[in-house]
Amino acid sequence: MTMICERCYAPIGEGESLVRLAHIDHAHPDGSVTWMYAYVHLTVCATPRPAPHERPDTGSWDTARGIGGYRA
């Protein structure tokens, strides 16, 4: 079974530390419960790398930078 981290959506490999979270999927008329499991890396998730065709986010322009032509 492939486990996917709920934070970073990366696969969790064999032998990696993880936390298994249990959520109630639905309850049956007889009182039993069906559980749905989610998995999260126990250590810090790796920062996802942007795709090669995506430009990095440089933020919005700050006019206080003073870059550009000066007005006289």
Side-chain angles (χ1 to χ4, degrees):
M1 176 176 82
T2 303
M3 293 180 283
I4 304 293
C5 178
E6 293 290 322
R7 279 189 300 212
C8 67
Y9 301 110
I12 299 174
E14 289 291 325
E16 281 189 77
S17 300
L18 62 96
V19 173
R20 185 176 81 167
L21 307 170
H23 307 280
I24 296 175
D25 188 30
H26 59 274
H28 301 281
D30 65 353
S32 63
V33 176
T34 301
W35 295 95
M36 179 171 288
Y37 296 103
Y39 304 93
V40 178
H41 285 112
L42 188 60
T43 58
V44 177
C45 296
T47 306
R49 294 182 357 192
H53 67 278
E54 292 179 354
R55 295 181 58 160
D57 181 17
T58 57
S60 60
W61 179 253
D62 183 6
T63 55
R65 291 181 184 173
I67 299 174
Y70 292 121
R71 295 186 190 180

